[in-house]
């Protein structure tokens, strides 16, 4: 390739090189301390040390896709809307397996979002989600009184002979939200 | 490598000038992937990030506290402002792809991308994370030194020769390469912590989760014995891509294996964009001379 010799202006001054090396070493250290799946007191201390910078800069990261154990349950999330007149309506969160290929590409965020909503650690997000459903066009106008979040699930069970079985669908309402008048404003 | 030769090896790795062709091709692919991400989100900009979104900004701040680089916290919480931010994001991504005002474009793209991710952390996948982290280091790279409008302008003004490319410091490119290898190695490490991967049942569960199914997979490939081998192969590929990729004689075979690995996942599993986001950085591992030959064969200008 027609590469010309590196011109002098790309030769680093001593202080520039020191600064760059500090920058490189710090980022290698911070990213490693944050993302390695290791929970020794030393690593946890390092993680606390770099946490403010990584959160601020957006360099936080996790690479635990399908691990340590992949999910072994098919789950589907529905909202049950109860109106002031006593009638009810079901609203399905987008289900990837029912979407077209192009929809799967654009709506995949809902798959992740449903996974997050079902996690008890994220219970604080559920009121917002229920409120959003209450505000949806076609629901808001009919005076929703309550929104329930209901999960349906079926486990994938190993049979012991190398095959697996899907259990029948089960369901549970895991969150109830009383819609406030200001939610519909 | 001995302890004595380590400083020299470090200097060579991070600071020996090299062709900017690889980072320029990466910039173009990266810009296109960022654009694709923005357009795929298009129908839900306000649903995810608007003033009446699924998760409010206040809830997000309560659940995920901390000072964060997030433009959403300084723009007015209106539909217009949110849409305007996305328009700026798209314009900057186009500009970055074309290599126009490359440094500024890369900064704007990173600011917008990290803000979008920070505003709603609960809908992200690994591809978003990789784009964000590599976008940070791309800011510092000589991404506009080749295949760019910036270079054309420099040539027109007589600041550069059209006949040759000036070598540049590769340290930012190396950080993106390290990030890619790190991604594989940590993924491998996480998987080794769970019994499903080592005993070989992991892929069975993944392929039987309805939400992840994309195209039909031939039935014989879904046999437990085959899936067991597949699970172990996935572990081996991730480990090798995280380690042996740095050994020159293994690099190209591993890149080919990695491409096949990600394309098969793209076919079988519904995690949009992740495979492409990760594959984008493979170009950084190609020898610049080989890359130039490939571009010439494709009758594309390599400078």
């Amino acid at each position: 390739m027609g590469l010309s010799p590196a011109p002098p202006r790309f030769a680093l001054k001593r202080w520039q090189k020191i600064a760059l090396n500090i920058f490189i070493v710090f980022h290698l250290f911070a990213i490693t301390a944050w993302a390695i799946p290791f929970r020794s007191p030393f690593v946890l201390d390092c993680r606390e040390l770099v946490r403010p910078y990584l959160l601020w800069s957006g360099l936080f990261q996790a690479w635990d896709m399908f691990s340590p154990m992949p999910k072994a349950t098919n789950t589907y999330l529905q909202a049950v809307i109860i109106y002031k007149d006593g009638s009810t309506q079901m609203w399905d969160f987008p289900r990837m397996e029912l979407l077209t290929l192009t929809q799967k590409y654009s709506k995949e965020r809902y798959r992740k979002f449903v996974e997050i909503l079902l996690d008890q650690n994220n219970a604080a997000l559920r009121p917002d989600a229920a409120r959003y459903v209450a505000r949806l066009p076609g629901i808001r106008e009919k005076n929703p009184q309550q929104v329930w979040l209901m999960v349906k699930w079926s486990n994938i069970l190993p049979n012991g002979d190398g095959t697996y079985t899907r259990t029948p669908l089960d369901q549970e309402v895991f969150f109830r939200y009383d819609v406030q008048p200001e939610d519909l404003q | 490598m001995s302890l004595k030769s380590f400083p020299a090896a470090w200097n060579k790795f991070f600071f020996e000038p090299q062709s900017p062709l690889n980072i320029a091709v990466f910039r173009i692919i990266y810009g296109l992937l960022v654009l694709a991400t923005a357009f795929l989100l298009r129908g839900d900009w306000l649903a995810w990030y608007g003033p009446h979104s699924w998760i409010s900004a206040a809830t997000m701040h309560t659940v995920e506290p901390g000072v964060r680089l997030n433009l959403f916290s300084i723009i007015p919480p209106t539909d217009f402002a949110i849409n305007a931010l996305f328009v700026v994001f798209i314009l900057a991504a186009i500009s970055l792809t074309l290599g126009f005002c490359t440094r500024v474009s890369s900064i704007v793209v990173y600011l917008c991308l990290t803000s979008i991710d920070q505003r709603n952390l609960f809908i992200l996948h690994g591809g978003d994370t990789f784009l964000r982290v590599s976008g940070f280091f791309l800011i510092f790279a000589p991404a506009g030194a080749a295949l760019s409008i910036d270079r054309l302008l420099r040539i027109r003004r007589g600041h550069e020769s059209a006949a040759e490319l000036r070598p540049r410091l590769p340290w930012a490119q190396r950080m993106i390469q390290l990030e890619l290898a790190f991604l594989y190695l940590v993924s491998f490490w996480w998987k080794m912590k769970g019994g499903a991967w080592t005993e070989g049942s992991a892929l069975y569960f993944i392929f039987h989760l309805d939400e992840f199914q994309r195209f039909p997979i031939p039935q014989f490939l879904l046999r437990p014995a085959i899936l067991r081998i597949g699970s172990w192969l996935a572990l081996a590929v991730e480990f090798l891509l995280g380690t042996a990729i740095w050994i020159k004689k293994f690099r190209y075979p591993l890149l080919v294996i990695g491409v096949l690995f990600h394309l098969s996942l793209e076919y079988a599993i519904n995690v949009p964009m992740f495979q492409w986001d990760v594959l984008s950085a493979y170009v950084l591992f190609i020898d610049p001379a080989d890359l130039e030959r490939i571009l010439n064969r494709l009758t594309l200008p390599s400078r």
Side-chain angles (χ1 to χ4, degrees), chain A residues 9-28:
Chain A
R9 76 187 181 93
F10 290 111
L12 293 170
K13 291 181 184 136
R14 189 177 156 75
W15 70 266
Q16 287 175 319
K17 198 155 183 180
I18 291 171
L20 269 181
N21 274 315
I22 291 171
F23 182 88
I24 290 168
V25 170
F26 171 73
H27 282 85
L28 292 177

Side-chain angles (χ1 to χ4, degrees), chain B residues 20 68 81 84 102 139 187 192 202 207 214 268 285:
Chain B
R68 291 163 188 265
T102 309
I139 290 173
S187 297
M192 290 300 286
F207 286 150
R214 181 171 284 168
F285 284 90

Side-chain angles (χ1 to χ4, degrees), chain A residues 15-179:
Chain A
W15 70 266
Q16 287 175 319
K17 198 155 183 180
I18 291 171
L20 269 181
N21 274 315
I22 291 171
F23 182 88
I24 290 168
V25 170
F26 171 73
H27 282 85
L28 292 177
F29 164 75
I31 289 172
T32 305
W34 184 266
I36 53 168
F38 209 54
R39 296 185 60 82
S40 77
F42 175 70
V43 171
L44 293 179
D45 285 347
C46 292
R47 210 167 281 170
E48 280 310 304
L49 193 70
V50 299
R51 174 186 292 273
Y53 173 70
L54 289 190
L55 292 187
W56 172 81
S57 63
L59 294 177
F60 53 89
Q61 51 193 283
W63 302 111
D64 53 355
M65 298 87 80
F66 302 122
S67 54
M69 295 289 284
K71 263 173 56 176
T73 307
N74 279 301
T75 47
Y76 318 105
L77 183 57
Q78 284 184 315
V80 184
I81 302 107
I82 297 147
Y83 294 105
K84 282 205 172 124
D85 63 6
S87 61
T88 60
Q89 179 188 342
M90 305 291 272
W91 187 86
D92 285 319
F93 283 73
R95 281 175 58 174
M96 295 303 111
E97 66 275 21
L98 302 180
L99 302 178
T100 64
L101 183 63
T102 50
Q103 287 172 329
K104 279 180 185 176
Y105 266 89
S106 59
K107 299 292 179 191
E108 195 268 345
R109 309 276 170 186
Y110 282 94
R111 180 194 64 73
K112 185 71 185 180
F113 188 53
V114 165
E115 192 181 304
I116 292 285
L117 281 180
L118 291 175
D119 184 344
Q120 181 58 33
N121 292 325
N122 300 313
L125 305 178
R126 293 169 182 169
D128 277 20
R131 207 174 291 130
Y132 187 91
V133 172
R135 275 200 298 260
L136 284 170
I139 294 175
R140 179 210 298 244
E141 300 79 12
K142 293 195 281 183
N143 282 324
Q145 192 172 32
Q146 276 197 328
V147 175
W148 298 355
L149 297 180
M150 182 168 74
V151 59
K152 294 184 176 181
W153 75 92
S154 158
N155 294 320
I156 304 169
L157 296 178
N159 290 328
D161 61 352
T163 61
Y164 294 76
T165 307
R166 287 178 182 221
T167 60
L169 269 182
D170 215 336
Q171 66 181 49
E172 180 193 4
V173 172
F174 64 96
F175 181 69
R176 289 179 168 82
Y177 181 74
D178 291 319
V179 180

Side-chain angles (χ1 to χ4, degrees), chain A residues 1-7 9-10 12 17 20-21 23-25 27-28 31-32 35-38 52-76 91 93 95-97 101-102 104-113 115-117 122 124-125 128-133 135-136 156-158 162-166 185, chain B residues 10-11 14-15 17 19 21 37 40-41 44 47-48 52-56 59 63 65 67-69 110 114 118 121-126 128-130 132-133 136-137 140 163-169 171 175 178-179 182-183 186-187 189-191 193-197 201-202 204-206 208-215 224 266 269-274 276 292 302-303:
Chain A
M1 130 163 277
L3 278 174
S4 61
R9 76 187 181 93
F10 290 111
L12 293 170
K17 198 155 183 180
L20 269 181
N21 274 315
F23 182 88
I24 290 168
V25 170
H27 282 85
L28 292 177
I31 289 172
T32 305
I36 53 168
F38 209 54
Y53 173 70
L54 289 190
L55 292 187
W56 172 81
S57 63
L59 294 177
F60 53 89
Q61 51 193 283
W63 302 111
D64 53 355
M65 298 87 80
F66 302 122
S67 54
M69 295 289 284
K71 263 173 56 176
T73 307
N74 279 301
T75 47
Y76 318 105
W91 187 86
F93 283 73
R95 281 175 58 174
M96 295 303 111
E97 66 275 21
L101 183 63
T102 50
K104 279 180 185 176
Y105 266 89
S106 59
K107 299 292 179 191
E108 195 268 345
R109 309 276 170 186
Y110 282 94
R111 180 194 64 73
K112 185 71 185 180
F113 188 53
E115 192 181 304
I116 292 285
L117 281 180
N122 300 313
L125 305 178
D128 277 20
R131 207 174 291 130
Y132 187 91
V133 172
R135 275 200 298 260
L136 284 170
I156 304 169
L157 296 178
T163 61
Y164 294 76
T165 307
R166 287 178 182 221
Q185 300 306 310
Chain B
W10 174 280
N11 273 329
F14 283 111
F15 299 114
S19 166
L21 199 55
T37 302
L40 286 173
L41 271 170
D44 292 309
W48 294 125
H52 301 294
S53 56
W54 278 102
I55 303 297
S56 70
T59 301
V63 177
V67 181
R68 291 163 188 265
L69 205 53
Y110 180 72
T114 197
Q118 300 269 28
L121 293 161
F122 298 110
I123 56 170
L124 304 179
H125 57 71
D128 298 311
T129 304
F130 186 72
R132 194 175 64 242
V133 176
F136 174 78
F137 292 114
F140 305 97
E164 51 194 9
L165 279 175
R166 279 199 299 212
R168 306 295 178 109
L169 297 181
W171 69 267
M175 293 302 277
L178 285 166
E179 173 66 29
F182 183 70
L183 175 168
V186 174
S187 297
W189 197 342
W190 268 110
K191 288 182 175 71
K193 289 171 81 81
W197 287 96
S201 61
Y204 187 94
F205 291 117
I206 293 168
H208 287 80
L209 290 171
D210 294 338
E211 66 202 47
F212 285 113
Q213 290 173 13
R214 181 171 284 168
F215 295 115
E266 177 68 13
I269 295 178
N270 175 45
V271 188
M273 299 308 295
F274 174 75
W276 305 110
E292 184 174 14
S302 57
R303 286 166 203 168

